[in-house]
Amino acid sequence: MKISVGPILYYWPKQQVVDFYQQLLDTPVDVIYLGEAVCSKRHELRIPEWIELAEQLSESGKQIVLSTLALIEARSELAGIRTICENTGRILVEANDMAAVQLLSERKLPFVCGPSINIYNANTLDILRRQGMQRWVMPVELNRETLADILTQAQAMGISEQVETEVFAYGKLPLAYSARCFTARMKNLPKDDCRYSCIEFPDGVAMETQEDQELFTLNGIQTQSGYCYNLLPQIPQMREMGINLVRISPQSKGTAELVRQFRETIDGGSVSEGLIARQHCNGYWFGQSGMSTVNDG
């Protein structure tokens, strides 16, 4: 089983981004995703710089994947995705919107389908496989039983060995995208004059109830879970299911240590305690409310 680190979902200064990826190269991560997947207004690194960084990191021997936006609202954003898809196949692309899937399929380039692509059955898996998909990331709201059914169907169709399966296993869950920027709204700013407010919140803005419960996390146009999703204890089960990769979503602090803890667990060690977040959840995996924490051990 491999470990991936997903694209940075927050807005960090350029030097922090560069330092983050250099630190990752010293960890046992297998696949590194990078690129802007949330908001096109974030410009600390522009698309040519993301592509250049991806090419530099690819020299490390780790698999590097460029991620695209999950929500496209303007022709300029579509043009940016086209630029990423036209990197002549040097770097694998994670499509987070069907526009990217079409662009990559037209160019007969292999690609990864990110968690924002709605793949809910093996027939959809097969359609996308025939268009060039090599790997899919399960939508975060699906549960283990649905995933097991999809993988069983894929095996019956004879395609299970042709497509890798990746599961979002640690981090704030990406739940929804909106045309409105909630971080700007929080600061009484219009979206068109957001003043790049996201950069002030390296792990998003916590939304708490009056009882101090972490309900959601605001991240620009993206709404995330309040609690941190954690499937580390479920790794033995995922290995038995045939999951190929587990994804860690970048945190502003401690991501490298998370990768090492996941590697130790995958290699047969005991499940690490003391992971970063104040409160973890895993309800979606068990078919329960997303905020739930289920102990199946």
Side-chain angles (χ1 to χ4, degrees):
M1 182 182 285
K2 297 179 181 179
I3 298 172
S4 72
V5 169
I8 299 169
L9 299 180
Y10 308 104
Y11 191 25
W12 295 350
K14 180 177 180 179
Q15 192 57 52
Q16 183 178 352
V17 171
V18 173
D19 292 344
F20 174 81
Y21 287 114
Q22 288 302 314
Q23 292 169 7
L24 274 187
L25 296 182
D26 295 327
T27 71
V29 66
D30 302 288
V31 181
I32 298 174
Y33 293 81
L34 69 160
E36 182 53 56
V38 177
C39 179
S40 63
K41 289 176 67 68
R42 298 174 176 179
H43 65 286
E44 285 286 302
L45 281 88
R46 300 185 185 277
I47 289 176
E49 293 174 297
W50 280 118
I51 294 175
E52 180 182 1
L53 179 59
E55 292 176 339
Q56 292 172 357
L57 294 174
S58 66
E59 297 175 0
S60 68
K62 299 181 187 296
Q63 186 183 53
I64 307 300
V65 186
L66 273 167
S67 297
T68 69
L69 288 170
L71 179 64
I72 302 172
E73 299 183 78
R75 289 183 180 274
S76 60
E77 294 171 349
L78 183 60
I81 290 177
R82 184 176 287 109
T83 299
I84 293 172
C85 295
E86 289 176 347
N87 77 84
T88 66
R90 299 190 304 271
I91 305 295
L92 188 65
V93 173
E94 177 187 56
N96 285 303
D97 177 90
M98 287 304 294
V101 170
Q102 180 174 339
L103 290 169
L104 292 159
S105 178
E106 289 174 349
R107 289 158 178 76
K108 301 188 184 305
L109 293 173
F111 58 89
V112 178
C113 271
S116 55
I117 300 290
N118 295 334
I119 301 176
Y120 296 146
N121 55 64
N123 289 327
T124 303
L125 207 64
D126 189 39
I127 290 171
L128 291 166
R129 177 194 65 83
R130 286 187 270 117
Q131 291 181 302
M133 183 182 70
Q134 293 187 342
R135 179 188 307 145
W136 69 298
V137 186
M138 181 187 77
V140 297
E141 69 272 17
L142 295 190
N143 60 60
R144 59 180 177 176
E145 293 183 2
T146 300
L147 177 58
D149 289 343
I150 293 173
L151 296 179
T152 299
Q153 294 167 13
Q155 187 171 24
M157 295 166 66
I159 63 171
S160 59
E161 299 300 319
Q162 300 174 41
V163 180
E164 290 185 313
T165 298
E166 182 172 345
V167 171
F168 188 108
Y170 193 92
K172 297 291 182 69
L173 290 166
L175 300 176
Y177 297 85
S178 171
R180 171 173 288 177
C181 176
F182 295 108
T183 306
R185 179 64 180 270
M186 179 195 73
K187 302 191 74 173
N188 293 318
L189 295 170
K191 181 181 178 183
D192 291 340
D193 185 27
C194 67
R195 303 178 192 176
Y196 310 105
S197 301
C198 288
I199 206 164
E200 301 175 24
F201 308 100
D203 291 295
V205 182
M207 282 190 63
E208 297 182 344
T209 66
Q210 293 181 346
E211 292 75 27
D212 295 326
Q213 182 183 36
E214 297 176 49
L215 184 62
F216 295 117
T217 301
L218 301 183
N219 179 36
I221 66 167
Q222 183 187 63
T223 301
Q224 301 177 321
S225 61
Y227 295 162
C228 191
Y229 200 56
N230 178 21
L231 295 183
L232 181 62
Q234 281 68 55
I235 280 180
Q237 181 183 75
M238 286 191 278
R239 184 190 288 113
E240 292 179 4
M241 292 173 66
I243 306 304
N244 304 103
L245 299 92
V246 287
R247 173 178 293 200
I248 296 170
S249 189
Q251 321 286 304
S252 64
K253 296 179 182 179
T255 304
E257 180 57 29
L258 282 170
V259 172
R260 296 185 182 97
Q261 290 176 334
F262 268 73
R263 186 76 267 164
E264 290 173 2
T265 301
I266 290 171
D267 290 345
S270 58
V271 175
S272 299
E273 299 293 337
L275 295 179
I276 297 168
R278 186 178 82 181
Q279 176 69 49
H280 291 124
C281 63
N282 58 12
Y284 279 149
W285 180 253
F286 294 97
Q288 299 188 23
S289 64
M291 295 178 67
S292 300
T293 302
V294 180
N295 184 358
D296 67 336

